[in-house]
Amino acid sequence: MKVFENFGLSHTLLETIKKLGFDKPTEIQEQSIPYIMEGKDVIGESATGSGKTLAFGCGIVDKVFPKKGLQALILTPTRELAEQVKDSLKQLAKNKNLNIISIYGGVSIGNQIDMLPKSEVVIATPGRLLDHLQRKTINLSQVKLVVLDEADRMFDMGFIEDVEKIIRACPSKRQTLFFSATISPRIINLSRKYMVHPVKVFAKNMVDPTKLKQVYYQVLKNLKLSLLTHLLNNEKSGLVMVFCNTRINTDFVAKNLKANDIDAIPIHGGLSQNKRTYTMGLFNKEKVGVLVCTDVASRGLHVENVSHIYNYEIPKDPKDYVHRIGRTARAGHEGKVVNLLSDNDYGSFSNILSEYRMFKIERMKNIDFKRISPVKQGRERGRNERSSSNFSENRSRFGQKKRFSHKRR
Ligand code: AMP
């Protein structure tokens, strides 16, 4: 087992890492940091939560210097991930005077135009960065390090053409790092175009399959909400994510859970950036217990202590299922995935089972639950047949530090 001291990092950076409480490198850090510090191009296969941000962050913090222009560019598929990476890099660069900013759409461009000339590190989503390139409000001529975070997601979300334009606008003498949950042929093709003799490193997924229980319930579509409410009120859990396939359903489910006194908040791409950032902050700080979300809004985010994933709807793309379940059972904790299946979910569900044959998803027998009537426009509460049990008396099975009541107080 290696230690951070083996990687040729500066003294200051080693001290910061120690202060952050990281005693030993994660697998992806152990494998990639030595090559990153040597200046090699690296393709890292690693999921969210594997510690990849610190891996490329070490290269950035030790190779970028104050007041020498924009030297490191990190591209992320979502605004939330851009924010998260910015926060992590700022922590890592605490003892070095670097200006680190994030730029993405959905917020005013004026501030970004003011901040860009003073920045040494930029974390950006592709669309807004391209906008700055076209307006000539960003100068990439000094960039020596380019990081593509969640590279496979860039393809999935249709950003790859923008990404390629941006990489081509960077100096050809540079170091390029790709991090991706899977190293697929399309990532390899991309690396052939834009990398020089890249080193490939792999890290095991942080999700521990032995700690992850996956189940499904068969339920009529019009009873899904009632079953979800019942399970949330009766399963003992830490933080919970409820996934829906559409923005409309995300709002519908969150509104109805709230109307039934469950502490839920929605997040999806239709909300303003400020609202999304605020919502993620509440969830991360465990101020709300249930995040109802679409795939796009949650992609790549690292949230600790998620004990339960509910699939209110099964995703059409099996890869999204894997991304969803990857948010629980991390780093030694237990986790549970609960799939609620009605007529229009079976096709997607069987695609998942045939694509991932190793998954064991247990069928749960039908249970009794009270029926709730969905909230209509302007109504505060759904009508219950009888009042729900007091969930706050439940205790977490998974022994997380903070125990949750999903009930609103
Ligand atoms: P990622 O999204 O892959 O960058 O993973 C980030 C998470 O991993 C954050 O919660 C970090 O605090 C945590 N992390 C990063 N490096 C380490 C380490 N060496 N030991 C323990 N946790 C780490």
Side-chain angles (χ1 to χ4, degrees):
M1 167 55 89
K2 293 235 168 78
V3 290
F4 282 109
E5 281 76 5
N6 298 126
F7 300 150
L9 304 176
S10 68
H11 223 73
T12 327
L13 184 53
L14 283 173
E15 266 180 23
T16 310
I17 292 172
K18 210 169 168 184
K19 279 202 188 118
L20 289 172
F22 302 141
D23 304 329
K24 49 181 198 293
T26 63
E27 201 177 354
I28 193 71
Q29 290 163 1
E30 186 172 325
Q31 307 225 17
S32 64
I33 295 175
Y35 294 119
I36 293 174
M37 296 312 291
E38 266 181 55
K40 292 212 155 67
D41 286 357
V42 176
I43 309 178
E45 184 176 83
S46 59
T48 313
S50 57
K52 61 189 162 67
T53 314
L54 187 132
F56 64 73
C58 284
I60 291 172
V61 172
D62 267 355
K63 288 166 189 254
V64 168
F65 298 100
K67 306 210 180 336
K68 295 255 159 87
L70 172 56
Q71 297 152 72
L73 179 63
I74 300 116
L75 296 175
T76 67
T78 64
R79 301 159 182 182
E80 281 80 7
L81 185 57
E83 275 295 299
Q84 195 171 290
V85 169
K86 180 190 76 180
D87 292 344
S88 303
L89 294 189
K90 279 191 161 179
Q91 281 188 332
L92 208 56
K94 215 164 26 194
N95 294 320
K96 197 165 173 180
N97 196 15
L98 294 181
N99 284 309
I100 302 175
I101 64 163
S102 56
I103 59 173
Y104 42 74
V107 292
S108 135
I109 200 164
N111 284 345
Q112 298 174 354
I113 293 175
D114 292 342
M115 287 189 305
L116 272 168
K118 300 171 217 139
S119 311
E120 286 92 24
V121 180
V122 166
I123 302 105
T125 54
R128 181 55 69 92
L129 190 86
L130 213 52
D131 201 351
H132 282 287
L133 263 179
Q134 277 150 6
R135 291 166 184 249
K136 300 198 190 334
T137 47
I138 188 167
N139 176 1
L140 299 179
S141 66
Q142 300 305 310
V143 168
K144 51 186 179 183
L145 229 161
V146 175
V147 182
L148 198 53
D149 200 1
E150 306 252 331
D152 47 354
R153 287 282 139 203
M154 296 288 197
F155 279 96
D156 293 346
M157 294 172 77
F159 292 159
I160 208 66
E161 272 182 30
D162 288 355
V163 167
E164 289 196 46
K165 279 186 201 152
I166 294 164
I167 300 180
R168 284 198 294 267
C170 292
S172 52
K173 195 173 172 308
R174 60 164 195 265
Q175 183 178 14
T176 312
L177 311 174
F178 289 175
F179 285 87
S180 182
T182 51
I183 301 184
S184 54
R186 56 191 186 175
I187 304 285
I188 298 295
N189 277 340
L190 195 70
S191 74
R192 287 204 183 104
K193 286 198 210 165
Y194 301 109
M195 291 179 132
V196 182
H197 306 306
V199 184
K200 293 188 202 72
V201 297
F202 303 87
K204 273 189 245 102
N205 201 328
M206 291 276 278
V207 175
D208 180 349
T210 62
K211 306 248 179 201
L212 182 68
K213 185 175 166 75
Q214 298 183 67
V215 303
Y216 69 93
Y217 288 90
Q218 293 182 305
V219 58
L220 289 173
K221 195 172 170 212
N222 63 343
L223 295 180
K224 253 190 188 184
L225 193 63
S226 306
L227 176 58
L228 177 66
T229 308
H230 172 86
L231 293 172
L232 286 173
N233 275 327
N234 290 282
E235 287 252 345
K236 298 153 194 172
S237 61
L239 291 178
V240 171
M241 294 175 87
V242 177
F243 281 92
C244 299
N245 290 354
T246 65
R247 295 172 182 184
I248 289 178
N249 287 349
T250 303
D251 282 336
F252 169 81
V253 171
K255 186 175 183 182
N256 275 283
L257 293 179
K258 271 193 272 181
N260 284 281
D261 277 345
I262 290 174
D263 194 11
I265 193 163
I267 186 165
H268 55 68
L271 300 175
S272 73
Q273 189 50 43
N274 281 348
K275 179 86 184 155
R276 281 159 68 170
T277 308
Y278 175 72
T279 301
M280 278 319 296
L282 287 181
F283 189 60
N284 268 315
K285 288 186 214 121
E286 306 192 1
K287 298 254 163 65
V288 288
V290 180
L291 186 74
V292 187
C293 51
T294 55
D295 293 286
V296 173
S298 73
R299 218 155 257 167
L301 297 177
H302 180 77
V303 185
E304 308 269 355
N305 282 342
V306 175
S307 72
H308 281 63
I309 301 294
Y310 285 88
N311 286 317
Y312 185 79
E313 293 169 301
I314 305 302
K316 301 242 171 327
D317 184 345
K319 277 195 263 103
D320 283 328
Y321 182 83
V322 177
H323 280 276
R324 289 181 184 186
I325 70 172
R327 284 152 214 291
T328 187
R330 303 165 86 98
H333 292 294
E334 290 187 57
K336 186 167 178 182
V337 178
V338 182
N339 297 293
L340 307 184
L341 307 186
S342 50
D343 281 353
N344 37 356
D345 294 303
Y346 289 112
S348 305
F349 194 62
S350 64
N351 287 343
I352 292 164
L353 293 178
S354 53
E355 191 130 330
Y356 299 98
R357 288 172 194 278
M358 64 291 210
F359 284 170
K360 289 192 180 59
I361 312 184
E362 188 188 332
R363 180 179 171 181
M364 302 303 284
K365 58 180 188 323
N366 293 342
I367 52 171
D368 285 332
F369 52 87
K370 65 178 176 279
R371 294 173 186 208
I372 56 170
S373 21
V375 173
K376 303 238 165 53
Q377 205 65 23
R379 277 176 61 188
E380 262 301 291
R381 291 177 63 94
R383 222 178 325 121
N384 292 344
E385 283 178 5
R386 59 189 154 86
S387 64
S388 51
S389 64
N390 186 355
F391 183 72
S392 57
E393 283 166 9
N394 288 335
R395 310 201 76 216
S396 167
R397 183 155 48 110
F398 301 141
Q400 271 120 354
K401 269 189 240 139
K402 185 148 182 172
R403 299 204 155 89
F404 246 95
S405 158
H406 298 306
K407 288 280 189 192
R408 285 192 304 171
R409 276 177 264 255

